[in-house]
Amino acid sequence: MVNPEKRIAELRENILDADYKYYVLDEPDLDDYAYDMMMKELEALEKEYPLLVTPDSPTQRVSGKATQKFTEAVHKVPMLSLSNSYNFDDLLDFDKRVKSLLGDEPYEYICELKFDGLAVSLVFEKGYLIRGSTRGDGTKGDDVTGNLKTIRSIPLRVKSDTFRNFEVRGEVFIKKDDFLRINEEQENLGEKLFSNPRNTAAGTLKQKDSRKVAARPLNIFTYYLRDENASLSTHGENLKILKELRFPVNSHWKKVKDIDGVKKYCDSIEEIRDGLPYEIDGVVVKVNSLAQQEFLGSAGKSPRWAIAYKFKAKEKTTRINGITLQVGRTGTITPVAELEPVFLAGSTISRATLHNFEEIRRKDIREKDFVKIEKGGDVIPKVTGVVLSDRPKDSRPFPEPSKCPVCGTKLEKPEEEVYIYCPNYFCPAQIQGRIEHFVWRDAMDIEGLGGSIIAVLLEKGFIKDFADIYSLKEKRAELLKVDRFGAKSVDNMLQAIENSKEKQFDRVLFAIGIKHIGERTAKLIAKHFGSIDRLAEATEEEIDDIYEIGPAIAKSVCDFFRDAKSKELIKKLRKAGLKFEIDESEKQEVNEKFAGKVFVLTGTLQKYSRNKAEEIIEKLGGRTSSSVSKKTDYVLAGADAGSKLEKAKKLGVRILSESDFEEMMK
Ligand code: IVH
């Protein structure tokens, strides 16, 4: 028998090591399966030996409970902000001031990227991360330790004899492509879009539920180290130490000997800015020597030893030739500005989304208006405002459409939503959109079936919906007669269609495009119900009961399965051989009486340990919680149950004895 303590330590070491290689070095050396197995083993051991759970265990990255309110975190040393400069003359002034204050002393600068995210502080004691907080007003921020722990590139413990009690600061951010993906999900869910990666990161850090934070890909770059007991000499050294301690440090920093070097650095970064996978809004210049930094001190809230050189947001003025309306796969009508093409920050821009009609009204954007287009290293060009002085005399506000531009059906606007919808399921734009979604990389992943091919297939009557894709192989000969459909590309496409039949049930569920069902929701639902037949029979209440799933999703799922058209589609797909249940290995023996129910355990049970009982409940599809509330379905009470039992009685929650529990399991 292996010593559990030893095995736990070994697993943690291996997992933290794998996290470091994956998230910091970007050189993964383990496959997902091996990683998951280690995590599962560790979880099982910790469940068995709860006393061995420590806060630095990788299992503790996501805590099980939502905080009601963040507590205040006072910064030992204030978190300053930087004074900004927008042109090179400002930088020269900064350098002059540094030079005159330092007298004859030589000095150097460290140049770094200015990441467009949120500053956070990480406090370590005895080598362990004990607190993580936001900058707040500089003096005190919010304690968001639980949320920051979900960032797997942050070490929960450092191995060092020198550095034990110290503070690290850095910038939390979201990568550009993750931002686009999150917004796509938000759109699918009919939820508000984030305006940029920075706001997405900020919104995520403020989440009360760290499980939701963990689902969002937050990253961090660290750029500050303070340790009263270590002899630290320069900022450049600190960056190297941070890297050795396994913190993520961006590699673009550079030591330069004078302001000319700074200028060269700024120019070189502006060149590569658009190609970086994360957003930056400038460069930060810092005096390298920490002694000199201290000597220079600060003026108000900004240090005299550092300055930010901000890139100008690239902006141009161009004309809106017209506003067109796009119809999404769920019928959403999106207004799009068709622009007189302009070259801006590396690409030609001829269209920009105007999001919705509230946005058009708010900014009073009209056809033929001259507008300012901004691209700040940003992913999406924005229309920031109208040049009113150039507005044509006969200009009229852009009217909200009443009919679908594609099929002419009367549009609808659900209460409390900003979007307008075309309710016609057979609207050609929706049909095309649904098929595009179905074949999309993250759904059925059918390569070679892009938008224009789908359009041709629809137009020539080869397909009417996405289920028809699976009968294309019977029409190979006719397909080859279509202009520009070569034998090779047709065969590749047919093969990709065949291969897609191997996709797991949750992907299929996502691909069929039920309104509000994103990838993550599809996974949760697939796992919970196990098969489409069980899902189709589920009531709104049962779906709503799944943790993390709300009433809007539940209603949408039920609406979908009530619809005869959906039944017909599923029938066709089933015939084609798609997976409509989860694989045997993923199956849980879900018990109707347990499915979706919340249990609270209290007191001592005779036959089961607390862990064993929890395991049984979860295996049968239930959930456990540690506190009794109105959401609790059952309290399983053993001997000497105390306050939880009292509370359950007060709230009228059903109380189970151990034998009731066994009865339920049957
Ligand atoms: S150093 C006084 N380094 O810019 C030192 N800050 O206006 C300030 N920021 O709150 C921190 N990249 O959110 C530093 N490489 C970098 C930075 C950086 C982005 C942000 C940070 C800070 C703000 C200061």
Side-chain angles (χ1 to χ4, degrees):
M1 157 91 186
V2 269
N3 174 345
E5 202 165 349
K6 237 169 104 184
R7 182 63 186 150
I8 285 179
E10 190 174 85
L11 286 164
R12 284 182 192 159
E13 197 67 31
N14 293 346
I15 292 169
L16 292 177
D17 211 56
D19 282 343
Y20 172 64
K21 289 186 176 127
Y22 188 99
Y23 293 100
V24 182
L25 300 181
D26 199 13
E27 289 163 6
D29 69 344
L30 263 190
D31 59 47
D32 288 0
Y33 180 74
Y35 183 92
D36 288 348
M37 289 322 278
M38 289 203 300
M39 202 69 179
K40 281 219 168 93
E41 189 184 345
L42 179 61
E43 276 165 6
L45 278 171
E46 287 184 350
K47 215 164 184 183
E48 199 171 339
Y49 303 96
L51 288 177
L52 296 180
V53 179
T54 54
D56 67 315
S57 172
T59 57
Q60 305 302 299
R61 286 218 186 256
V62 189
S63 78
K65 268 190 245 104
T67 2
Q68 292 310 307
K69 207 172 158 242
F70 296 123
T71 51
E72 203 174 85
V74 177
H75 305 302
K76 225 170 167 185
V77 173
M79 293 180 79
L80 301 176
S81 56
L82 294 163
S83 40
N84 291 328
S85 63
Y86 291 93
N87 55 54
F88 209 68
D89 287 344
D90 292 347
L91 279 186
L92 288 175
D93 286 346
F94 164 75
D95 183 52
K96 261 192 218 145
R97 197 168 59 239
V98 170
K99 193 175 279 166
S100 86
L101 287 169
L102 291 178
D104 290 335
E105 237 176 73
Y107 59 93
E108 299 166 322
Y109 289 120
I110 298 288
C111 298
E112 290 169 13
L113 305 184
K114 187 170 189 311
F115 311 107
D116 199 6
L118 284 99
V120 297
S121 149
L122 304 166
V123 177
F124 286 76
E125 266 174 28
K126 296 185 181 145
Y128 289 83
L129 172 66
I130 58 138
R131 196 188 74 180
S133 56
T134 58
R135 175 173 176 274
D137 63 5
T139 319
K140 53 183 191 317
D142 287 329
D143 183 329
V144 287
T145 314
N147 288 349
L148 287 172
K149 272 185 158 184
T150 66
I151 304 179
R152 293 211 266 178
S153 56
I154 296 180
L156 301 176
R157 167 177 46 124
V158 294
K159 279 192 270 178
S160 163
D161 294 330
T162 321
F163 296 95
R164 311 269 302 146
N165 304 309
F166 58 92
E167 185 190 353
V168 171
R169 291 177 186 172
E171 199 81 355
V172 169
F173 63 95
I174 280 182
K175 288 188 193 159
K176 292 177 188 171
D177 56 355
D178 285 329
F179 161 72
L180 291 176
R181 205 171 40 76
I182 290 169
N183 254 357
E184 208 151 346
E185 282 259 334
Q186 291 289 106
E187 195 161 9
N188 284 344
L189 291 171
E191 280 182 26
K192 238 186 97 202
L193 300 189
F194 292 106
S195 55
N196 56 45
R198 200 194 113 83
N199 287 353
T200 319
T204 305
L205 264 195
K206 286 201 198 100
Q207 266 285 343
K208 296 280 159 63
D209 188 342
S210 66
R211 282 165 294 196
K212 292 196 179 142
V213 181
R216 290 260 177 82
L218 291 178
N219 294 280
I220 186 169
F221 283 131
T222 58
Y223 47 64
Y224 171 96
L225 169 67
R226 191 181 61 87
D227 183 329
E228 279 153 22
N229 302 312
S231 62
L232 299 169
S233 60
T234 64
H235 180 58
E237 270 310 308
N238 282 2
L239 293 176
K240 285 182 194 158
I241 294 168
L242 282 171
K243 197 172 166 198
E244 270 162 30
L245 293 173
R246 296 189 157 194
F247 287 93
V249 176
N250 184 274
S251 60
H252 284 290
W253 66 275
K254 194 174 176 197
K255 184 162 85 183
V256 300
K257 53 182 203 312
D258 53 24
I259 200 73
D260 269 348
V262 171
K263 177 159 179 31
K264 281 202 190 96
Y265 180 84
C266 292
D267 289 343
S268 72
I269 296 302
E270 202 150 7
E271 290 267 309
I272 62 166
R273 178 188 189 189
D274 286 341
L276 293 172
Y278 39 82
E279 287 197 346
I280 59 169
D281 57 353
V283 160
V284 183
V285 184
K286 299 173 181 170
V287 169
N288 193 19
S289 153
L290 300 179
Q292 287 178 339
Q293 284 189 3
E294 196 169 349
F295 174 79
L296 290 165
S298 55
K301 281 194 170 179
S302 328
R304 291 197 194 85
W305 48 266
I307 192 163
Y309 174 72
K310 294 258 249 182
F311 296 140
K312 281 178 270 306
K314 290 171 190 153
E315 190 190 74
K316 272 203 181 149
T317 303
T318 189
R319 201 169 70 149
I320 297 186
N321 289 330
I323 293 174
T324 54
L325 303 173
Q326 245 174 23
V327 186
R329 69 175 167 90
T330 54
T332 346
I333 309 287
T334 308
V336 177
E338 304 292 339
L339 304 167
E340 188 58 35
V342 272
F343 191 77
L344 185 60
S347 61
T348 302
I349 294 161
S350 50
R351 310 184 82 198
T353 172
L354 298 173
H355 303 291
N356 54 59
F357 290 90
E358 263 178 46
E359 177 97 354
I360 292 189
R361 265 195 301 278
R362 201 165 50 78
K363 292 188 178 159
D364 189 20
I365 297 171
R366 305 178 182 186
E367 287 185 312
K368 309 291 177 214
D369 266 347
F370 282 88
V371 287
K372 290 210 161 77
I373 307 287
E374 202 177 279
K375 201 171 153 200
D378 271 12
V379 239
I380 310 165
K382 283 195 277 271
V383 175
T384 51
V386 177
V387 187
L388 286 175
S389 55
D390 291 343
R391 173 170 279 171
K393 295 231 161 36
D394 58 351
S395 150
R396 293 271 170 281
F398 188 76
E400 200 170 290
S402 57
K403 282 188 184 149
C404 174
V406 176
C407 68
T409 306
K410 192 167 174 296
L411 298 176
E412 291 174 1
K413 183 165 179 189
E415 248 175 87
E416 287 172 47
E417 275 201 50
V418 289
Y419 296 104
I420 308 180
Y421 293 90
C422 163
N424 174 16
Y425 185 84
F426 293 106
C427 170
Q430 289 191 45
I431 295 176
Q432 167 102 16
R434 281 195 297 269
I435 303 177
E436 283 180 17
H437 172 79
F438 185 82
V439 304
W440 185 40
R441 184 166 38 91
D442 293 346
M444 298 308 276
D445 189 19
I446 302 176
E447 235 185 286
L449 200 49
S452 51
I453 309 241
I454 293 172
V456 173
L457 294 175
L458 281 169
E459 187 206 307
K460 305 249 179 224
F462 282 105
I463 57 176
K464 286 200 173 58
D465 55 47
F466 50 74
D468 292 338
I469 290 173
Y470 293 96
S471 48
L472 280 174
K473 62 171 185 266
E474 292 140 34
K475 302 175 188 157
R476 184 176 178 275
E478 288 101 294
L479 282 170
L480 290 178
K481 286 184 204 142
V482 178
D483 255 5
R484 279 174 293 141
F485 276 24
K488 192 152 176 243
S489 55
V490 166
D491 287 336
N492 284 345
M493 177 181 87
L494 292 175
Q495 191 57 49
I497 292 172
E498 249 347 83
N499 295 346
S500 75
K501 294 182 183 171
E502 291 306 310
K503 290 278 177 275
Q504 300 298 328
F505 172 44
D506 63 285
R507 287 261 211 147
V508 178
L509 192 56
F510 171 58
I512 57 180
I514 304 172
K515 193 171 162 188
H516 297 331
I517 305 282
E519 273 178 270
R520 195 176 150 68
T521 318
K523 279 207 179 85
L524 290 171
I525 294 183
K527 189 159 171 227
H528 187 92
F529 290 100
S531 75
I532 200 129
D533 294 331
R534 295 220 30 236
L535 175 61
E537 288 163 7
T539 62
E540 269 184 54
E541 215 176 358
E542 276 175 275
I543 303 170
D544 186 19
D545 267 351
I546 304 178
Y547 180 64
E548 277 187 60
I549 288 183
I553 295 175
K555 177 170 185 309
S556 164
V557 171
C558 288
D559 286 350
F560 177 87
F561 285 107
R562 251 184 295 221
D563 192 332
K565 299 187 289 290
S566 316
K567 286 184 192 143
E568 193 53 37
L569 263 175
I570 306 269
K571 206 166 123 193
K572 268 167 60 181
L573 291 174
R574 206 193 283 265
K575 226 170 119 201
L578 264 57
K579 292 196 179 172
F580 279 110
E581 43 185 87
I582 56 176
D583 280 356
E584 217 42 58
S585 63
E586 284 178 82
K587 265 189 202 154
Q588 302 176 328
E589 5 162 346
V590 178
N591 174 323
E592 289 300 340
K593 287 176 245 157
F594 284 71
K597 298 285 187 270
V598 181
F599 290 74
V600 173
L601 279 65
T602 179
T604 318
L605 300 173
Q606 302 301 312
K607 289 195 203 150
Y608 311 93
S609 69
R610 176 86 49 113
N611 284 329
K612 188 71 203 164
E614 282 180 4
E615 201 178 293
I616 294 172
I617 292 168
E618 278 165 26
K619 190 135 199 260
L620 296 175
R623 269 200 306 128
T624 55
S625 162
S626 55
S627 58
V628 180
S629 73
K630 272 187 273 175
K631 291 204 164 175
T632 313
D633 293 294
Y634 298 104
V635 166
L636 173 53
D640 303 319
S643 62
K644 288 184 193 171
L645 183 58
E646 288 313 309
K647 189 158 180 204
K649 282 181 185 158
K650 222 183 261 162
L651 290 174
V653 174
R654 245 196 92 183
I655 295 156
L656 301 174
S657 67
E658 202 164 335
S659 54
D660 295 334
F661 181 63
E662 292 195 308
E663 194 57 39
M664 261 177 88
M665 283 192 300
K666 278 180 194 155

